[in-house]
Coordinates of all heavy atoms in Angstrom, one line a residue:
M5 N 101.8 98.9 92.5 CA 102.2 97.9 93.4 C 101.2 97.7 94.5 O 100.7 98.6 95.1 CB 103.5 98.4 94.1 CG 104.4 97.4 94.5 SD 106.2 97.9 94.7 CE 106.1 99.1 96.0
G6 N 100.7 96.5 94.7 CA 99.7 96.2 95.7 C 100.2 95.2 96.7 O 101.3 94.7 96.7
R7 N 99.3 95.0 97.7 CA 99.6 94.1 98.8 C 100.0 92.7 98.2 O 99.2 92.2 97.4 CB 98.4 94.0 99.7 CG 98.6 93.2 100.9 CD 97.3 93.2 101.7 NE 96.2 92.7 100.8 CZ 95.3 91.8 101.2 NH1 95.4 91.3 102.4 NH2 94.4 91.3 100.4
G8 N 101.1 92.2 98.7 CA 101.5 90.9 98.3 C 102.0 90.8 96.9 O 102.2 89.7 96.4
C9 N 102.2 91.9 96.2 CA 102.7 91.8 94.8 C 104.1 91.3 94.8 O 104.8 91.3 95.8 CB 102.6 93.2 94.1 SG 103.9 94.3 94.7
A10 N 104.5 90.8 93.6 CA 105.9 90.2 93.5 C 107.0 91.2 93.9 O 107.9 90.8 94.6 CB 106.1 89.6 92.1
E11 N 106.8 92.4 93.4 CA 107.9 93.4 93.7 C 107.9 93.7 95.3 O 109.0 93.8 95.8 CB 107.6 94.7 93.0 CG 108.7 95.7 93.1 CD 108.4 97.0 92.3 OE1 107.4 97.0 91.5 OE2 109.2 97.9 92.5
C12 N 106.8 93.8 95.9 CA 106.7 94.0 97.4 C 107.5 92.8 98.1 O 108.2 93.0 99.0 CB 105.3 94.0 97.9 SG 104.3 95.4 97.3
T13 N 107.2 91.6 97.6 CA 107.8 90.4 98.2 C 109.3 90.5 98.1 O 110.1 90.2 99.0 CB 107.3 89.1 97.6 OG1 105.8 89.2 97.8 CG2 107.8 87.9 98.3
R14 N 109.8 90.8 96.8 CA 111.2 90.9 96.6 C 111.9 92.0 97.4 O 113.0 91.9 98.0 CB 111.5 91.1 95.1 CG 111.4 89.8 94.3 CD 111.9 89.9 92.9 NE 111.0 90.7 92.1 CZ 110.0 90.2 91.4 NH1 109.8 88.9 91.3 NH2 109.3 91.0 90.6
N15 N 111.2 93.1 97.5 CA 111.7 94.3 98.3 C 111.8 93.9 99.8 O 112.8 94.2 100.5 CB 110.8 95.5 98.2 CG 110.9 96.2 96.8 OD1 111.9 95.9 96.1 ND2 110.0 97.0 96.5
A16 N 110.8 93.1 100.3 CA 110.8 92.7 101.7 C 112.0 91.8 102.0 O 112.7 91.8 103.0 CB 109.5 92.1 102.1
L17 N 112.2 90.9 101.0 CA 113.3 89.9 101.2 C 114.6 90.6 101.2 O 115.5 90.3 102.0 CB 113.2 88.9 100.0 CG 114.3 87.8 100.0 CD1 114.2 86.9 101.3 CD2 114.3 87.0 98.8
A18 N 114.7 91.7 100.3 CA 116.0 92.4 100.3 C 116.3 93.2 101.6 O 117.4 93.5 101.9 CB 115.9 93.4 99.1
L19 N 115.2 93.4 102.4 CA 115.4 94.1 103.7 C 115.9 93.2 104.7 O 116.4 93.6 105.8 CB 114.1 94.7 104.1 CG 113.6 95.9 103.3 CD1 112.2 96.3 103.8 CD2 114.5 97.1 103.4
C20 N 115.9 91.9 104.5 CA 116.4 90.9 105.5 C 117.9 90.9 105.4 O 118.5 90.4 104.4 CB 115.8 89.5 105.2 SG 114.0 89.5 105.3
E21 N 118.5 91.4 106.4 CA 120.0 91.4 106.4 C 120.6 90.1 107.0 O 120.0 89.5 107.8 CB 120.5 92.6 107.3 CG 120.1 93.9 106.6 CD 120.5 95.1 107.5 OE1 121.0 94.9 108.6 OE2 120.2 96.3 107.0
D22 N 121.8 89.8 106.6 CA 122.6 88.7 107.1 C 121.9 87.4 107.0 O 122.0 86.5 107.9 CB 122.9 89.0 108.6 CG 123.7 90.3 108.8 OD1 124.5 90.5 107.9 OD2 123.5 91.0 109.8
L23 N 121.1 87.2 105.9 CA 120.5 85.9 105.7 C 121.6 84.9 105.3 O 122.6 85.2 104.7 CB 119.5 85.9 104.6 CG 118.2 86.6 104.8 CD1 117.3 86.6 103.5 CD2 117.4 85.9 105.9
P24 N 121.4 83.6 105.7 CA 122.4 82.6 105.2 C 122.2 82.4 103.7 O 121.2 82.9 103.2 CB 122.0 81.3 106.0 CG 120.6 81.6 106.6 CD 120.4 83.1 106.7
A25 N 123.1 81.7 103.1 CA 123.0 81.5 101.7 C 121.7 80.8 101.3 O 121.1 81.0 100.2 CB 124.2 80.7 101.2
A26 N 121.3 79.9 102.1 CA 120.1 79.1 101.9 C 119.2 79.2 103.1 O 119.1 78.3 103.9 CB 120.4 77.7 101.5
P27 N 118.4 80.3 103.2 CA 117.6 80.5 104.4 C 116.4 79.5 104.5 O 115.9 79.1 103.4 CB 117.1 81.9 104.3 CG 117.2 82.2 102.8 CD 118.3 81.4 102.3
E28 N 116.0 79.2 105.7 CA 114.8 78.5 105.9 C 113.7 79.5 106.1 O 113.8 80.4 106.9 CB 114.9 77.7 107.2 CG 115.9 76.5 107.2 CD 115.2 75.2 106.8 OE1 114.0 75.1 106.8 OE2 116.0 74.3 106.5
I29 N 112.7 79.4 105.2 CA 111.6 80.5 105.2 C 110.3 79.8 105.6 O 109.9 78.7 105.1 CB 111.5 81.1 103.9 CG1 112.8 81.9 103.5 CG2 110.3 82.1 103.8 CD1 112.8 82.4 102.1
L30 N 109.5 80.4 106.5 CA 108.2 80.0 106.9 C 107.2 81.0 106.4 O 107.2 82.1 106.7 CB 108.1 79.8 108.4 CG 106.7 79.4 109.0 CD1 106.3 78.1 108.4 CD2 106.7 79.4 110.5
D31 N 106.3 80.6 105.5 CA 105.3 81.4 104.9 C 104.0 81.0 105.5 O 103.4 80.0 105.2 CB 105.3 81.3 103.4 CG 104.4 82.2 102.7 OD1 103.6 83.0 103.3 OD2 104.4 82.3 101.4
V32 N 103.5 81.9 106.4 CA 102.3 81.6 107.2 C 101.1 82.3 106.5 O 101.1 83.5 106.3 CB 102.4 82.0 108.6 CG1 101.1 81.8 109.4 CG2 103.6 81.3 109.3
G33 N 100.0 81.5 106.2 CA 98.9 82.1 105.5 C 99.3 82.3 104.0 O 99.0 83.4 103.5
C34 N 99.8 81.3 103.4 CA 100.4 81.4 102.1 C 99.4 81.5 101.0 O 99.7 81.9 99.9 CB 101.4 80.3 101.8 SG 100.6 78.7 101.7
G35 N 98.1 81.1 101.3 CA 97.1 81.1 100.3 C 97.4 80.2 99.1 O 97.9 79.1 99.3
T36 N 97.3 80.7 97.9 CA 97.6 79.9 96.7 C 99.1 80.0 96.4 O 99.5 79.5 95.4 CB 96.7 80.4 95.5 OG1 97.0 81.8 95.3 CG2 95.3 80.1 95.7
G37 N 99.8 80.8 97.2 CA 101.3 80.8 97.1 C 101.9 81.8 96.2 O 103.1 81.6 95.8
A38 N 101.2 82.9 95.9 CA 101.8 83.9 95.0 C 103.2 84.3 95.6 O 104.2 84.4 94.9 CB 100.9 85.1 94.9
Q39 N 103.1 84.7 96.9 CA 104.3 85.1 97.6 C 105.3 84.0 97.8 O 106.5 84.2 97.6 CB 103.8 85.6 98.9 CG 104.8 86.1 99.9 CD 103.9 86.6 101.1 OE1 103.3 87.6 101.0 NE2 103.9 85.8 102.2
T40 N 104.8 82.8 98.1 CA 105.7 81.6 98.3 C 106.6 81.4 97.0 O 107.8 81.1 97.1 CB 104.9 80.4 98.5 OG1 103.8 80.6 99.4 CG2 105.7 79.2 99.0
L41 N 105.9 81.5 95.9 CA 106.6 81.2 94.6 C 107.7 82.2 94.3 O 108.8 81.9 93.8 CB 105.6 81.0 93.5 CG 104.7 79.7 93.7 CD1 103.5 79.8 92.7 CD2 105.5 78.4 93.5
V42 N 107.4 83.5 94.6 CA 108.4 84.6 94.4 C 109.5 84.3 95.3 O 110.7 84.4 94.9 CB 107.7 85.9 94.7 CG1 108.8 87.0 94.7 CG2 106.7 86.2 93.6
L43 N 109.3 84.0 96.6 CA 110.4 83.7 97.5 C 111.2 82.6 97.1 O 112.4 82.6 97.2 CB 109.8 83.5 98.9 CG 109.2 84.7 99.6 CD1 108.4 84.2 100.9 CD2 110.3 85.7 100.0
A44 N 110.6 81.5 96.6 CA 111.3 80.3 96.2 C 112.2 80.6 95.0 O 113.2 80.0 94.8 CB 110.4 79.2 95.9
S45 N 111.7 81.6 94.1 CA 112.5 81.9 93.0 C 113.6 82.9 93.3 O 114.7 82.8 92.7 CB 111.6 82.6 91.9 OG 110.5 81.8 91.5
A46 N 113.4 83.7 94.3 CA 114.4 84.7 94.7 C 115.4 84.3 95.7 O 116.5 84.8 95.7 CB 113.7 86.0 95.2
A47 N 115.1 83.3 96.5 CA 116.1 82.9 97.5 C 116.3 81.4 97.4 O 115.4 80.6 97.1 CB 115.4 83.1 98.9
A48 N 117.6 81.0 97.6 CA 117.9 79.6 97.7 C 117.3 79.0 99.0 O 116.8 79.8 99.9 CB 119.4 79.3 97.7
G49 N 117.3 77.8 99.2 CA 116.9 77.2 100.5 C 115.5 76.7 100.4 O 114.9 76.6 99.3
R50 N 114.9 76.4 101.6 CA 113.7 75.7 101.7 C 112.6 76.5 102.3 O 112.8 77.3 103.2 CB 113.9 74.4 102.6 CG 112.8 73.4 102.6 CD 113.4 72.2 103.3 NE 112.3 71.3 103.7 CZ 111.7 70.5 102.8 NH1 112.1 70.4 101.6 NH2 110.8 69.7 103.2
I51 N 111.4 76.4 101.8 CA 110.3 77.2 102.3 C 109.2 76.3 102.8 O 108.8 75.3 102.1 CB 109.7 78.1 101.2 CG1 110.7 79.0 100.6 CG2 108.5 78.9 101.7 CD1 110.2 80.0 99.6
T52 N 108.7 76.5 104.0 CA 107.5 75.8 104.5 C 106.3 76.8 104.3 O 106.4 77.9 104.8 CB 107.7 75.4 105.9 OG1 108.8 74.5 106.0 CG2 106.5 74.7 106.5
A53 N 105.3 76.3 103.6 CA 104.2 77.2 103.2 C 103.0 76.6 103.9 O 102.6 75.4 103.7 CB 104.0 77.3 101.7
T54 N 102.3 77.4 104.7 CA 101.1 76.9 105.5 C 99.9 77.7 105.3 O 100.0 78.9 105.1 CB 101.4 76.8 107.0 OG1 101.4 78.2 107.5 CG2 102.8 76.2 107.3
D55 N 98.8 77.1 105.3 CA 97.5 77.8 105.2 C 96.4 76.8 105.8 O 96.6 75.6 105.9 CB 97.2 78.2 103.7 CG 96.2 79.3 103.7 OD1 94.9 79.1 103.8 OD2 96.6 80.5 103.4
L56 N 95.3 77.4 106.1 CA 94.2 76.6 106.6 C 93.4 76.0 105.5 O 92.7 75.0 105.7 CB 93.2 77.6 107.3 CG 93.3 77.8 108.8 CD1 92.1 78.6 109.3 CD2 93.3 76.4 109.6
I57 N 93.5 76.5 104.3 CA 92.5 76.1 103.2 C 93.2 75.1 102.2 O 94.1 75.5 101.4 CB 92.0 77.3 102.5 CG1 91.5 78.3 103.5 CG2 91.0 76.9 101.4 CD1 90.2 79.0 103.3
G58 N 92.9 73.9 102.3 CA 93.5 72.8 101.5 C 93.5 73.1 100.0 O 94.5 72.9 99.3
P59 N 92.4 73.5 99.4 CA 92.3 73.8 98.0 C 93.3 74.9 97.6 O 93.9 74.8 96.5 CB 90.9 74.2 97.7 CG 90.1 73.5 98.8 CD 91.0 73.5 100.0
F60 N 93.6 75.9 98.4 CA 94.6 76.9 98.1 C 96.0 76.2 98.0 O 96.7 76.5 97.1 CB 94.7 78.0 99.2 CG 93.5 78.9 99.2 CD1 93.5 79.9 100.2 CD2 92.6 79.0 98.2 CE1 92.4 80.8 100.3 CE2 91.5 79.9 98.3 CZ 91.5 80.8 99.3
L61 N 96.2 75.3 99.0 CA 97.5 74.6 99.0 C 97.7 73.7 97.8 O 98.8 73.5 97.2 CB 97.7 73.9 100.3 CG 97.8 74.8 101.5 CD1 97.8 74.0 102.8 CD2 99.0 75.7 101.4
A62 N 96.6 73.1 97.3 CA 96.6 72.3 96.1 C 97.0 73.1 94.9 O 97.8 72.6 94.1 CB 95.3 71.6 95.9
Q63 N 96.5 74.3 94.8 CA 96.9 75.2 93.7 C 98.4 75.5 93.8 O 99.1 75.5 92.8 CB 96.1 76.5 93.7 CG 94.7 76.4 93.2 CD 94.0 77.7 93.2 OE1 94.5 78.7 92.6 NE2 92.9 77.8 93.8
L64 N 98.9 75.8 95.0 CA 100.3 76.1 95.2 C 101.1 74.9 94.8 O 102.1 75.0 94.0 CB 100.6 76.4 96.7 CG 102.0 76.5 97.1 CD1 102.9 77.4 96.2 CD2 102.2 76.8 98.5
E65 N 100.7 73.7 95.2 CA 101.5 72.5 94.8 C 101.6 72.3 93.3 O 102.6 72.0 92.8 CB 100.8 71.3 95.5 CG 101.5 70.0 95.4 CD 100.9 68.9 96.2 OE1 99.7 68.9 96.5 OE2 101.6 67.9 96.5
E66 N 100.5 72.6 92.6 CA 100.4 72.4 91.2 C 101.4 73.4 90.5 O 102.2 73.1 89.6 CB 99.0 72.6 90.7 CG 98.8 72.2 89.3 CD 97.3 72.4 88.9 OE1 96.4 72.0 89.7 OE2 97.1 72.8 87.8
R67 N 101.3 74.7 91.0 CA 102.1 75.7 90.4 C 103.6 75.5 90.7 O 104.5 75.8 89.9 CB 101.7 77.1 90.8 CG 100.3 77.4 90.3 CD 100.0 78.9 90.2 NE 101.0 79.7 89.5 CZ 101.4 80.9 89.9 NH1 100.9 81.4 91.0 NH2 102.3 81.5 89.2
A68 N 103.9 75.1 91.9 CA 105.3 74.8 92.3 C 105.9 73.7 91.4 O 107.0 73.8 90.9 CB 105.4 74.4 93.8
A69 N 105.1 72.7 91.1 CA 105.5 71.6 90.2 C 105.8 72.2 88.8 O 106.8 71.9 88.2 CB 104.5 70.5 90.2
E70 N 104.9 73.0 88.3 CA 105.0 73.6 87.0 C 106.3 74.4 86.9 O 106.9 74.5 85.8 CB 103.8 74.5 86.6 CG 102.5 73.7 86.3 CD 101.3 74.6 86.3 OE1 101.5 75.9 86.4 OE2 100.2 74.1 86.2
M71 N 106.6 75.1 88.0 CA 107.8 76.0 88.0 C 109.1 75.3 88.4 O 110.1 75.9 88.5 CB 107.5 77.2 88.9 CG 106.4 78.1 88.4 SD 105.9 79.3 89.6 CE 107.4 80.4 89.6
G72 N 109.0 74.0 88.6 CA 110.2 73.2 89.0 C 110.7 73.6 90.4 O 111.9 73.4 90.8
L73 N 109.8 74.1 91.3 CA 110.2 74.5 92.6 C 109.7 73.5 93.7 O 109.9 73.8 94.9 CB 109.6 75.9 92.9 CG 110.2 77.0 92.0 CD1 109.4 78.3 92.2 CD2 111.7 77.2 92.4
A74 N 109.0 72.5 93.3 CA 108.3 71.6 94.3 C 109.2 71.0 95.4 O 108.8 70.9 96.5 CB 107.5 70.5 93.6
K75 N 110.4 70.7 95.0 CA 111.3 70.1 95.9 C 111.8 71.0 97.0 O 112.2 70.6 98.1 CB 112.6 69.5 95.2 CG 112.3 68.3 94.4 CD 113.6 67.7 93.9 CE 113.2 66.4 93.1 NZ 114.3 66.0 92.2
R76 N 111.6 72.3 96.8 CA 112.1 73.3 97.8 C 111.0 73.8 98.6 O 111.2 74.7 99.5 CB 112.9 74.4 97.1 CG 114.1 73.8 96.5 CD 115.0 74.9 95.9 NE 115.0 76.1 96.7 CZ 114.7 77.3 96.2 NH1 114.4 77.4 94.9 NH2 114.6 78.3 97.0
I77 N 109.7 73.4 98.4 CA 108.6 73.9 99.1 C 107.8 72.8 99.8 O 107.3 71.9 99.2 CB 107.6 74.7 98.2 CG1 108.3 75.8 97.4 CG2 106.4 75.2 99.0 CD1 107.5 76.5 96.4
Q78 N 107.8 72.9 101.2 CA 107.1 71.9 102.0 C 105.7 72.6 102.2 O 105.6 73.7 102.7 CB 107.8 71.7 103.3 CG 107.0 70.7 104.2 CD 107.7 70.6 105.6 OE1 108.4 71.4 106.0 NE2 107.3 69.6 106.3
I79 N 104.6 71.9 101.9 CA 103.3 72.5 102.0 C 102.5 71.8 103.2 O 102.5 70.5 103.2 CB 102.5 72.3 100.7 CG1 103.2 73.1 99.6 CG2 101.1 72.7 100.8 CD1 102.7 72.9 98.2
L80 N 102.0 72.6 104.1 CA 101.3 72.0 105.2 C 100.0 72.7 105.5 O 99.9 74.0 105.5 CB 102.1 72.3 106.5 CG 103.4 71.5 106.8 CD1 103.9 72.0 108.1 CD2 103.0 70.0 106.9
V81 N 98.9 72.0 105.7 CA 97.7 72.5 106.2 C 97.9 72.8 107.7 O 98.1 71.8 108.4 CB 96.4 71.6 106.0 CG1 95.2 72.2 106.6 CG2 96.3 71.3 104.5
A82 N 97.8 74.0 108.1 CA 98.0 74.3 109.5 C 97.4 75.7 109.9 O 97.4 76.6 109.1 CB 99.5 74.4 109.9
D83 N 96.9 75.7 111.1 CA 96.4 77.0 111.7 C 97.6 77.8 112.2 O 98.4 77.3 113.0 CB 95.4 76.7 112.8 CG 94.7 77.9 113.3 OD1 95.2 79.0 113.2 OD2 93.6 77.7 113.9
M84 N 97.6 79.0 111.7 CA 98.8 79.9 112.2 C 98.8 80.1 113.7 O 99.8 80.5 114.2 CB 98.8 81.2 111.4 CG 97.6 82.1 111.7 SD 97.8 83.8 111.0 CE 97.4 83.5 109.2
N85 N 97.6 79.9 114.3 CA 97.6 80.0 115.8 C 98.0 78.8 116.5 O 98.1 78.8 117.8 CB 96.1 80.3 116.2 CG 95.6 81.6 115.6 OD1 96.2 82.7 115.8 ND2 94.5 81.6 114.9
D86 N 98.3 77.7 115.8 CA 98.7 76.5 116.4 C 99.6 75.7 115.5 O 99.3 74.6 115.0 CB 97.5 75.7 116.8 CG 97.8 74.4 117.6 OD1 98.9 74.4 118.2 OD2 97.0 73.5 117.6
L87 N 100.8 76.3 115.2 CA 101.7 75.7 114.2 C 102.3 74.5 114.8 O 102.7 74.4 116.0 CB 102.7 76.7 113.7 CG 102.2 77.9 112.9 CD1 103.2 78.9 112.7 CD2 101.7 77.4 111.5
P88 N 102.5 73.4 114.0 CA 103.1 72.2 114.5 C 104.6 72.1 114.6 O 105.2 71.1 114.1 CB 102.5 71.1 113.5 CG 102.5 71.9 112.2 CD 102.2 73.3 112.5
F89 N 105.2 73.2 115.1 CA 106.6 73.2 115.3 C 106.9 73.6 116.7 O 106.3 74.4 117.3 CB 107.3 74.3 114.4 CG 106.8 74.3 112.9 CD1 106.1 75.4 112.4 CD2 107.0 73.2 112.1 CE1 105.7 75.4 111.1 CE2 106.5 73.2 110.8 CZ 105.8 74.3 110.3
P90 N 108.0 73.0 117.3 CA 108.4 73.4 118.6 C 108.9 74.8 118.6 O 109.5 75.2 117.6 CB 109.4 72.3 119.0 CG 109.8 71.6 117.8 CD 108.8 71.9 116.7
D91 N 108.9 75.5 119.8 CA 109.5 76.8 119.9 C 110.9 76.7 119.5 O 111.6 75.8 119.9 CB 109.3 77.3 121.3 CG 107.9 77.7 121.7 OD1 107.1 77.8 120.8 OD2 107.6 77.8 122.9
G92 N 111.3 77.7 118.7 CA 112.7 77.8 118.3 C 113.2 76.9 117.2 O 114.3 76.9 116.8
A93 N 112.3 76.1 116.7 CA 112.7 75.1 115.7 C 112.9 75.8 114.3 O 112.2 76.8 114.0 CB 111.6 74.1 115.5
S94 N 113.8 75.3 113.5 CA 113.8 75.7 112.1 C 112.9 74.6 111.6 O 112.7 73.5 112.1 CB 115.2 75.6 111.5 OG 115.6 74.3 111.3
T95 N 112.2 74.8 110.5 CA 111.1 74.0 110.0 C 111.7 72.6 109.6 O 112.1 72.3 108.7 CB 110.3 74.6 108.9 OG1 111.2 75.1 107.9 CG2 109.5 75.8 109.5
Ligands
SAM120 C1 95.4 87.7 102.2 S1 95.6 86.0 102.0 C2 97.4 86.0 101.8 C3 97.8 85.2 100.6 C4 99.3 85.0 100.4 N1 100.2 85.4 101.5 C5 99.8 85.7 99.1 O1 100.7 86.5 99.1 O2 99.2 85.4 98.1 C6 95.5 85.4 103.7 C7 95.6 83.9 103.9 O3 95.6 83.6 105.2 C8 94.9 82.4 105.4 N2 94.5 82.3 106.8 C9 93.6 83.0 107.5 N3 93.6 82.6 108.8 C10 94.4 81.6 108.9 C11 94.8 80.8 110.0 N4 94.3 81.0 111.3 N5 95.8 79.9 109.8 C12 96.3 79.7 108.6 N6 96.0 80.4 107.5 C13 95.1 81.4 107.7 C14 93.8 82.5 104.5 O4 93.3 81.2 104.2 C15 94.4 83.2 103.3 O5 94.9 82.2 102.3

C-alpha cells in the first residue's frame, strides 16, 4: 500500500464520520486524479478537483469521461494557496 493508493483513499473516506449521503468533496492538488476517481467511485455527490498543472487535469477529464464520472467531477486549474471559493463555501 503506498501513498495515494486506492485502498488508502477508501480507508481515509471510511474514517469520515457523519458524512451526508452525497457529500461535497474538494480534492486539492488532485494531479491526474487517481484519488479523485476513487472518491467519485466510492462516494455519491460532487467532487471539485483542483491542481496547478493543466495537462494533469486534462488527463483526469479524459479518464473521468471514460469511467462515466465526468458529470460528478468539476475540474479547476487553481493554486491551493489561493482557491477561488469564499470562506465557508461549499464548492
Ligand atoms: C503528489 S501529487 C498528488 C496527486 C493526487 N492527489 C493523487 O492522489 O494522485 C501533488 C499534486 O499537487 C499539485 N500541486 C503542487 N503545488 C500546488 C499548488 N500550489 N496548487 C495546486 N496544486 C499544487 C501538483 O501539481 C501535483 O499534481
